[in-house]
Amino acid sequence: MIPVANDDEEPIRAVLAFIRPYPNVVKYESSPYHRYGEVKYNLLARVYELEDYNSLNPETPHRPQALIDEAFGRQGQVAGAT
């Protein structure tokens, strides 16, 4: 998940809608964005185009992961859902 790009509910629900018809998809998890690849880009003298993005706050993935877990029947209701 990249901050501002796809770290909210709408993109998560879109991915879930896309994979729902495929019964062989049994697992989907959110992974927080990190900057580990930035060093490789520098070593290769390439432009790291995600330089303006910061790693996610460790608490941020909980809400999207709760949506995913609910869709796969792994937990109860999503906190704060109506």
Side-chain angles (χ1 to χ4, degrees):
M1 296 179 6
I2 300 172
V4 183
N6 65 354
D7 65 339
D8 62 2
E9 194 169 318
E10 185 179 335
I12 297 297
R13 290 199 185 277
V15 170
L16 289 168
F18 176 78
I19 63 176
R20 187 171 304 265
Y22 301 99
N24 59 332
V25 176
V26 296
K27 189 172 184 178
Y28 169 56
E29 296 180 10
S30 62
S31 297
Y33 168 73
H34 56 73
R35 299 180 70 130
Y36 302 146
E38 185 174 6
V39 173
K40 290 180 183 179
Y41 276 79
N42 291 333
L43 291 172
L44 295 170
R46 297 192 63 191
V47 175
Y48 186 73
E49 295 188 22
L50 297 175
E51 188 173 309
D52 293 338
Y53 292 103
N54 293 318
S55 296
L56 289 171
N57 177 319
E59 296 300 315
T60 302
H62 293 296
R63 171 89 174 134
Q65 188 61 51
L67 293 168
I68 294 163
D69 289 342
E70 180 181 291
F72 279 89
R74 292 191 292 240
Q75 292 180 344
Q77 292 293 320
V78 175
T82 57

